[in-house]
Amino acid sequence: MTDLIDATDRAILRVVQTNATLSAGAVGRAVGLSQPAAWRRLRRLRDAGILRGRELSFDMEMLGFGVTVFLGIKLATKGRVSLEDFERVVAAIPEVRRVEHVLGRYDYRLRITARDLADFERVLRRRVMALPGVGEVEANVLLSEERLPGPL
Amino acid sequence: MTDLIDATDRAILRVVQTNATLSAGAVGRAVGLSQPAAWRRLRRLRDAGILRGRELSFDMEMLGFGVTVFLGIKLATKGRVSLEDFERVVAAIPEVRRVEHVLGRYDYRLRITARDLADFERVLRRRVMALPGVGEVEANVLLSEERLPGPL
DNA sequence: CTTGAAAAGAACTGCCT
DNA sequence: AGGCAGTTCTTTTCAAG
């Protein structure tokens, strides 16, 4: 897959990455392009699927969900429970905000949001431990996190 | 912390969560509110900091970064290297897209994006292993992931 | 909180270099 | 490909009920 993206496109991606609220005109000004030119490139990037839909992020703490825990899960009986089944039932737990299928010590990593530790214990015992095929489970409580621009 | 958020606000949050292309008019229609009413609530939520800025997500695979790895890191000499120093130098690695300070088996979890496994090996050996105070390191290669609406 | 309307701005279109 | 000028649409803001 040869690069369909040139240096100007990269500059645009770098801009919108840190400022998703920017209009085509503003993006153009930032990279030295006119409004229509920037708009055309943005549409091209979106149509190509490189730029995927926007996502809003909430302050979960302000909404009463002060506890975020990462669960590493190793399936006990691989083969007995299909990965698809496991993913479907795990995704049905309301407190699960993210399901990551990984390779390594664990088979899955879950990001879980709860109101407090007592609430998390309820989710862990009544929901997660009740999942089919769950073997080893390990928890990491989130203290703080930072998102970074990344390469490009 | 009493709830400054009522049921209508929750309905709005639920709507914009799955439809980040927020437009006051459309949100209002979805929750049975007029356009100005919905707009005022959205601004209130944003001013309160509950609704944080939009974020665009890229298809990193299309941009030539096909490998995502999670690194669990245990600091070896706690106290010798301050957490602030570690976080600062870790955030300076371009391939690090996320830094999570956690409690449990690891002290930090890093989300790393690389072009391929060879590129990831370079990052791991020349960048991560060279960090001050790094003890045990564990890697999980991402196969697939899914974001979910979460509670509310 | 509603409706209605006006002002501002962003999205999109042709045409031209 | 990029820029200019113009049109259309949505968002935003302000009336008044």
Side-chain angles (χ1 to χ4, degrees):
Chain A
M1 215 179 260
T2 70
D3 252 352
L4 306 118
I5 309 297
D6 64 6
T8 308
D9 286 324
R10 284 223 169 66
I12 289 178
L13 289 173
R14 244 175 279 123
V15 169
V16 298
Q17 186 167 49
T18 50
N19 216 339
T21 333
L22 242 40
S23 68
V27 172
R29 248 170 280 124
V31 300
L33 236 55
S34 72
Q35 187 272 336
W39 182 84
R40 272 192 287 263
R41 279 180 182 268
L42 282 168
R43 185 177 61 172
R44 213 172 55 73
L45 290 169
R46 202 163 293 149
D47 290 349
I50 291 162
L51 222 56
R52 288 185 305 213
R54 299 173 174 80
E55 284 172 17
L56 288 194
S57 69
F58 304 153
D59 189 323
M60 293 309 285
E61 214 163 306
M62 276 192 162
L63 288 167
F65 293 89
V67 172
T68 296
V69 181
F70 296 103
L71 286 186
I73 295 185
K74 188 76 183 172
L75 295 186
T77 52
K78 272 195 261 194
R80 289 209 35 106
V81 175
S82 81
L83 301 183
E84 283 75 18
D85 284 349
F86 180 81
E87 288 174 16
R88 192 164 33 73
V89 66
V90 119
I93 302 175
E95 288 82 6
V96 174
R97 292 186 59 86
R98 208 181 195 119
V99 182
E100 290 160 356
H101 185 198
V102 295
L103 222 50
R105 176 193 288 271
Y106 311 110
D107 295 314
Y108 285 95
R109 274 193 69 261
L110 311 181
R111 184 192 181 108
I112 293 184
T113 304
R115 300 193 167 277
D116 46 48
L117 282 179
D119 188 36
F120 171 72
E121 193 192 2
R122 174 188 61 80
V123 175
L124 180 65
R125 295 175 79 140
R126 312 201 47 163
R127 299 293 215 141
V128 177
M129 295 315 232
L131 290 174
V134 168
E136 194 187 335
V137 175
E138 192 207 294
N140 286 93
V141 179
L142 179 66
L143 296 177
S144 67
E145 70 180 328
E146 191 185 359
R147 290 176 198 201
L148 300 166
L152 272 192
Chain B
M1 214 180 262
T2 72
D3 253 352
L4 306 117
I5 309 298
D6 65 6
T8 307
D9 286 324
R10 284 222 169 67
I12 289 178
L13 290 173
R14 244 174 279 123
V15 168
V16 298
Q17 186 166 48
T18 50
N19 215 341
T21 326
L22 61 88
S23 106
V27 172
R29 245 168 281 126
V31 301
L33 234 55
S34 74
Q35 188 272 337
W39 186 84
R40 272 191 294 266
R41 280 180 182 265
L42 281 168
R43 187 176 62 172
R44 212 173 55 72
L45 290 169
R46 200 165 295 147
D47 291 348
I50 291 163
L51 221 56
R52 288 183 308 209
R54 304 167 177 81
E55 282 171 18
L56 288 193
S57 68
F58 303 154
D59 189 324
M60 294 309 285
E61 215 164 305
M62 276 192 163
L63 288 167
F65 293 89
V67 172
T68 296
V69 181
F70 297 103
L71 286 185
I73 294 184
K74 189 74 181 174
L75 295 186
T77 52
K78 274 195 259 193
R80 290 208 33 107
V81 174
S82 82
L83 301 183
E84 283 76 18
D85 285 348
F86 180 81
E87 289 173 16
R88 193 166 31 74
V89 66
V90 119
I93 302 175
E95 287 83 5
V96 174
R97 293 185 61 86
R98 208 181 194 119
V99 182
E100 291 161 355
H101 186 198
V102 295
L103 222 51
R105 175 193 287 272
Y106 311 111
D107 296 314
Y108 286 95
R109 274 193 70 262
L110 311 181
R111 185 193 180 108
I112 293 184
T113 304
R115 300 192 168 276
D116 47 47
L117 282 179
D119 188 36
F120 171 71
E121 194 192 1
R122 173 188 62 81
V123 175
L124 180 66
R125 296 175 78 138
R126 311 202 46 161
R127 298 292 214 143
V128 177
M129 294 316 231
L131 289 174
V134 169
E136 195 188 333
V137 175
E138 193 207 294
N140 286 94
V141 179
L142 179 66
L143 294 178
S144 66
E145 69 180 331
E146 192 184 357
R147 291 176 195 201
L148 301 166
L152 270 192

